[in-house]
Amino acid sequence: MPVTAVVGAQWGDEGKGRMVDYLAQDADLVIRFQGGDNAGHTVVNAAGKFALHLIPSGIFNPKTVCIIGTGAVVNPATLLEEMRALEAANVSLDNLWLSNRAHVVLPYHRLVDGLQEAARSGARIGTTGRGIGPTYSDKAARFGIRLGDLKRRDYLRQRIGLHLEQKNRTLALFNAPPLDLDEVMETCLGYAEALGDRIVDTLPLVQPAVRAGKRLLLEGQLGVMRDLDWGTYPYVTSSNPIVGAASAGAGIPPTAIDRVVGVVKAYSTAVGAGPFPCELDDADGERLRLVGAEYGATTGRPRRCGWYDAVAVGHAAWLNGFTSLAVTKLDVLDGMQKLRICTGYRLGDRVIDYVPDTPDMEEVTPVYETWPGWDAPTTEARTWDDLPKPARAYLHRISELAGVPIEFVSVGAERDQLLTLELPA
Ligand code: GDP
Ligand code: IMO
Ligand code: MG
């Protein structure tokens, strides 16, 4: 390890949660570095099946310190629900800490997220409705409330009071009722009481761990194609899922991150609107959705499904400098007669091998190679040689096109349904 970032290389839902759960068996510390409860990281292990939204997927290792980092945005109400669900399954939360610098998602933010989406009518982003955009907007505009503020009653009242009038003007634009200072204060003080002791300055936990060479995992949310800067803007989230943001969001120097694992699904899925060139509206797409159980862990929306897009993953590989790939859900392809890999985009009379800006991305059509499928089930495979030959050829091509070696292949949702491959020296 010592500092490993685990990030999404497609449109999200690649299986980051299952990879972090696996890798956290050997981790001293796991930090979620961006995003909020828009994430749905599904973990299946001996403790049960969980859809984590904010809590780092390392929480199942009682020895691992888990931090919701400065770059994340935290809705205390949903966090408390998530904590209760884990406690009910006897998962210890003794090691869970929240950065005092992380911003708070307030009920107001969720409300505005919904109102803004409704107002976009024909051009909806298809957000998760969790208030992510409005919270990061307030953060950038310097109106935000941070978790640490919740513990300072007078300061909090002053901060909320300063901007309440502006917020109420925004609400009035949408014909929504105004906020009341006392009510917002009461909500915040309730959060402070429930979470107070867990809200800390995280550097005293992180700095000594990095200096002592402890094993750290940085857990990303979503994937590069929804990155605020490098995704298909405006059909993106409001933070940066790429590893460049892990340093800022976790409070670690970029030079300390020495391993970046890119998580890629063996095919493509996306939730929400925006260009998705390899989307399938046919029986193959339906099959991927059905066999892959492709329904959003946070919203329950059916995920859009398509063939593997090597152009999008190439974009991710460049932006993240992956040191290895974890290819997930290979088993979902078992029994398919043929597979396709998109190696380029046709744009007008040209074929390009990069992700263009959104208006062009909306026009591209995929250029495919066809690969043979395999019949034998892969779910029991635990070594490279256990995999059917066409599956190995398919994986080899994925690795070749990304220019990154594959370190893990997952063949089922359970923690140990995974192969670990030796990386080239
Ligand atoms: P994340 O957001 O990147 O953590 O991914 P999600 O958890 O939203 O989506 C991945 C889904 O695939 C979850 O339901 C996982 O339980 C499931 N999953 C992960 N790896 C595998 C695998 O190798 N095979 C199968 N069949 N399911 C998997
Ligand atoms: P994980 O971490 C898939 C999508 C939404 C929408 C866009 C913006 O589980 O991979 P937002 O609510 O962030 O303002 O929505 O991003 N989206 C996700 N899609 N997985 C997620 O998280 C997502 N989080 C947000 O559908 O298109
Ligand atoms: Mg998910």
Side-chain angles (χ1 to χ4, degrees), residues 143-162:
F143 293 157
I145 304 296
R146 306 204 292 180
L147 283 173
D149 302 344
L150 299 179
K151 302 209 290 188
R152 303 166 190 264
R153 182 188 277 262
D154 293 340
Y155 182 71
L156 177 67
R157 196 177 177 88
Q158 189 198 340
R159 289 283 306 157
I160 297 171
L162 264 177

Side-chain angles (χ1 to χ4, degrees), residues 35-38 54 72-79 102-113 129-136 138 144-147 150 184 187-188 191 195:
D37 64 348
N38 49 344
L54 259 169
V73 292
V74 178
N75 182 336
T78 54
L79 174 63
H103 281 246
V104 184
V105 181
L106 289 167
Y108 156 86
H109 293 116
R110 282 178 73 135
L111 181 67
V112 171
D113 194 354
R130 297 298 177 116
I132 305 303
T135 307
Y136 277 114
D138 275 2
I145 304 296
R146 306 204 292 180
L147 283 173
L150 299 179
V184 180
T187 304
C188 288
Y191 294 158
L195 293 174

Side-chain angles (χ1 to χ4, degrees), residues 13-18 40-42 303 329 331-332 410-413:
D13 302 325
E14 298 90 349
K16 298 172 292 290
R18 70 100 65 233
H41 293 182
T42 307
R303 293 177 181 150
K329 304 191 88 159
D331 55 297
V332 174
S410 87
V411 289

Side-chain angles (χ1 to χ4, degrees), residues 8 12-19 39-44 49-52 57 219-222 263 265 267 291-298 303 327-332 379 409-414 417-418:
D13 302 325
E14 298 90 349
K16 298 172 292 290
R18 70 100 65 233
M19 287 312 305
H41 293 182
T42 307
V43 170
V44 187
K49 178 175 179 182
F50 304 87
L52 300 175
S57 305
E219 178 175 0
Q221 190 254 330
L222 249 177
V263 188
K265 210 176 267 194
Y267 49 98
V291 179
E294 296 295 355
Y295 293 88
T298 298
R303 293 177 181 150
V327 181
T328 62
K329 304 191 88 159
L330 184 74
D331 55 297
V332 174
T379 49
V409 179
S410 87
V411 289
E414 305 235 354
Q417 289 186 291
L418 190 99

